[in-house]
Amino acid sequence: MVLLQLAWETRVSNKYKYQNVIQVFDPGCKNCPPVDSAERRLTAYRWTKNPVTAECIRPPGILKPGRIERAHGKSKKCKLVGLSLHRTQDESAAAYKALSQTVSMMAEVFGDHIAEVHLLPTHGRSSAPNSSGHFDFYEYAGVDLLASFQVVQKV
Amino acid sequence: MKRRRMPAQVGIPLGVRDLPEYVWNGDLIEFDGPVLSLYRLPEQRKDALFLLVDRDYVAERWCICEVSREQLDGYLKQQITLLSILKKAPYTLFFDQGDHGRRSAARVSWDEFPEQYRPSSKSLLTDEISTDTAKKLAADELVEFQLELSGDDLFFEDLSQISRSYQQLYSFHYGLRNLDRIAVRERVVALMGRWTSGLSAVNLFSGLRNVIPSLHRPRVTHLHYASPGHIRLELLPEMSGEISRVVNHAAHPDIELQLEALYKECYEYFKTQRLAGFEDADNRISERLTPVQARQISQFVAQYFSLLMLADYKGPFSELEATPLQQLRAVLAYHRRLRHLVYYVQIGQVTLPD
């Protein structure tokens, strides 16, 4: 119980970049970022434009706040305050290729390159990846990852 | 640098208010938010797919396509493409969603469907892009289940009552079984919170139906209106098994007595604690519970779940964002519907194989 309390306090005291947005639907940030999220050291991949712009790495709910309002349930709202990333370049490319069969305007909607970023525990918290290697990343306050994203592949 | 704007909408313009009121059932593809979502059109009992086709800095463009049960099943199981579904639709609906609401709605035939928005001939719902919700829906296999009908005095209204009661129990059990699905959980909580009149109980069960996609709804495969006869349904096996177990268990005289005693005890408690009656903005009974009342009412809910052999649902149900009184009202409404089917089982007019 004490460990859980400590863990929760750590999660809240490291103020999130978009904490004021999270607090609206999850006061105290109890479930957002998700409870299974953790500070990790890893390399991750995101679909972006080339060059990577600030907009490419801004969570969708921050770019368009109305999306958070319309989202169903706290976990969906939480996802919109995180950045979608993949664990490996191959997983990112495979998902892009698969989705491009359904969404023909992939370049306009998501960008047409894959960018790599080296995440540190001090940058934020990562949710647990799903079976396709996709996870959400929640930045800490004061973190600016724009310069950290490097384009590695055109898709 | 000039920012890109989406091209003008094609097709027959519609007012955004002309768009039907679909009910969200879940997201099948999501990346930076939903990309392909499953919705339901309650009045017409149809499913629909909402596909993200375009985006600019102001809005997102969505395409709505109604989909049959067979198409949805085939798409979820990676047997048919999204392109084939769109091509076969008599029309699709488009709208732009911005932060200030929807605009630029249109009805679009396949001939008018913009080339740049058409999925490819390989537009399958592959594992790389499907959500856990989609994977779970794809994994569900249906079985045939037969309600046996017998007895000399089976009247037409009995058939109607039997079908309606079974449907309502199915909706409730589906809600219980799928509380981990956001659409279902949200719907259950919203419906339990609207106890403003006698129609609320009806709304609970009909409202739950709106978050059951067509491929999970009991479909009649054979009807034999005779005595003996049957109603053969195609449905989720765990649901048919569970409903049969609960009904047959509740039909046992000892259990029936205990259930009725509990029902009576609940309403006596409402009366003595002045918790009876309907709620409105000025009379939010369920929010005024004292800790003692909340504890007692939670205990009633727990007793019901134990008596009905549904103890596995006690935990998830109690964790819903609904007050104990709202939860108990829902369970009591379920009991009232359970009674109908129990009656027919007890007089031998309906048999539900376990």
Side-chain angles (χ1 to χ4, degrees), chain A residues 115-132:
Chain A
E116 176 185 85
V117 66
H118 300 291
L119 295 175
L120 300 174
T122 49
H123 287 155
R125 300 182 74 89
S126 307
S127 68
N130 66 12
S131 54
S132 307

Side-chain angles (χ1 to χ4, degrees), chain B residues 321-339:
Chain B
E321 287 173 14
T323 68
L325 184 56
Q326 288 166 342
Q327 292 177 10
L328 181 58
R329 282 181 181 142
V331 173
L332 289 167
Y334 170 83
H335 182 184
R336 286 193 291 276
R337 276 141 190 86
L338 177 65
R339 275 179 186 153

